[in-house]
Amino acid sequence: MASGVDSVAVHNPGSFAGMEGAMLNCQEMEFLAEWEEVEVIPNFQGDKLHMICGEYGPFYPNRVVKVPLFTAVNLKDSRKCRIEVPMWLRSSTLERVLEAERDASEQATDLTELGIPFHYTAIAHILLKHAADDVEALRVGEVHDCRRLLRDIEDVRASKIRKGTRMVMDEVKNKDHAHDVSAMINFRNLTFSELNQARPTLTLALDTLADLNPRTVRLLVCSFFVPCRGAC
């Protein structure tokens, strides 16, 4: 992963403190996701690209090379490459992810072992928009199936997160037992979009808990806000 991507990933996942109620919109989330690397197959020859986040290339026809997602989209829109669809964005992989999510315990949100990247929702949206023909080339109906499976995965995970969030809020209301909340909530490897959506409610809950028991909040943050580190 390029240094530019590392800086984005490190900056965002644990940055709830001081950002109470802040949410990024779809365009902002896609901007961050565009620094993730993907593989392209160029149809031209060119020198290296020198960017702040690193060097990419040189480029040779029909030779796979990694570039940031925004570069891949620019090349694709200019008809200068095909985008190699990542393994995680294939219906066969997404079906396994969905099955694992449904079979997992009600509190589990671990996607790391299955290779789903931190910004997977934004990356998938960008690729299915700009490289739909490359995805469809894998199999007729692949684009439709990928979109359906992605929605199903998001729904299953969202249901678990809502349940966990309700547990946090219930503990905030039940002040006599607020010290037990860190043992009850144990989400792992939340994705960026999930962290973004959960931020307003959970920061309010954490602020309230901090007034009751600061040590509890430190334990809760350590056990809850563990970002997804899957690879593209």
Side-chain angles (χ1 to χ4, degrees):
M1 189 177 290
S3 58
V5 178
D6 285 339
S7 63
V8 170
V10 169
H11 174 72
N12 289 290
S15 58
F16 279 57
M19 295 185 65
E20 292 80 0
M23 286 185 64
L24 301 181
N25 59 37
C26 293
Q27 290 75 22
E28 290 169 329
M29 289 193 292
E30 287 186 6
F31 173 78
L32 296 177
E34 286 176 343
W35 289 92
E36 297 283 357
E37 292 181 353
V38 295
E39 293 182 339
V40 300
I41 304 175
N43 56 21
F44 69 97
Q45 183 169 336
D47 297 330
K48 284 186 177 182
L49 296 177
H50 301 278
M51 302 183 181
I52 295 176
C53 56
E55 295 183 348
Y56 299 92
F59 299 86
Y60 298 99
N62 299 318
R63 184 178 297 182
V64 176
V65 61
K66 285 188 175 182
V67 296
L69 180 56
F70 68 87
T71 302
V73 170
N74 287 336
L75 292 174
K76 177 68 178 179
D77 290 346
S78 300
R79 300 183 178 180
K80 292 185 176 181
C81 78
R82 290 187 293 112
I83 296 179
E84 189 76 3
V85 181
M87 285 300 302
W88 63 265
L89 189 58
R90 302 189 183 195
S91 59
S92 57
T93 303
L94 294 174
E95 286 173 355
R96 292 196 296 271
V97 172
L98 178 59
E99 182 179 357
E101 284 294 335
R102 286 173 170 168
D103 292 343
S105 65
E106 293 184 355
Q107 288 301 311
T109 57
D110 191 349
L111 287 180
T112 300
E113 293 182 1
L114 297 169
I116 297 296
F118 184 50
H119 294 278
Y120 88 95
T121 51
I123 295 172
H125 179 267
I126 294 170
L127 289 178
L128 291 173
K129 177 181 178 180
H130 293 275
D133 56 332
D134 294 330
V135 177
E136 191 71 11
L138 299 174
R139 183 181 63 85
V140 176
E142 183 76 0
V143 171
H144 175 270
D145 288 345
C146 285
R147 285 178 173 148
R148 173 180 56 81
L149 290 165
L150 286 166
R151 285 195 299 268
D152 290 345
I153 292 170
E154 290 180 33
D155 289 344
V156 172
R157 289 174 61 86
S159 177
K160 298 176 186 179
I161 294 170
R162 282 195 299 269
K163 182 173 182 178
T165 303
R166 284 197 298 269
M167 293 171 68
V168 175
M169 299 306 294
D170 288 343
E171 287 300 313
V172 171
K173 296 175 183 177
N174 186 8
K175 297 181 181 181
D176 292 337
H177 298 90
H179 62 280
D180 296 329
V181 69
S182 63
M184 298 175 59
I185 308 301
N186 190 30
F187 285 113
R188 293 290 177 181
N189 300 307
L190 295 173
T191 63
F192 183 72
S193 61
E194 292 162 349
L195 286 170
N196 187 54
Q197 293 171 9
R199 178 176 287 129
T201 300
L202 289 175
T203 49
L204 175 61
L206 291 174
D207 284 343
T208 304
L209 284 173
D211 294 335
L212 302 174
N213 190 335
R215 182 175 179 276
T216 294
V217 174
R218 288 196 295 271
L219 292 174
L220 178 58
V221 171
C222 290
S223 65
F224 192 96
F225 299 126
V226 181
C228 175
R229 288 295 184 184
C232 291

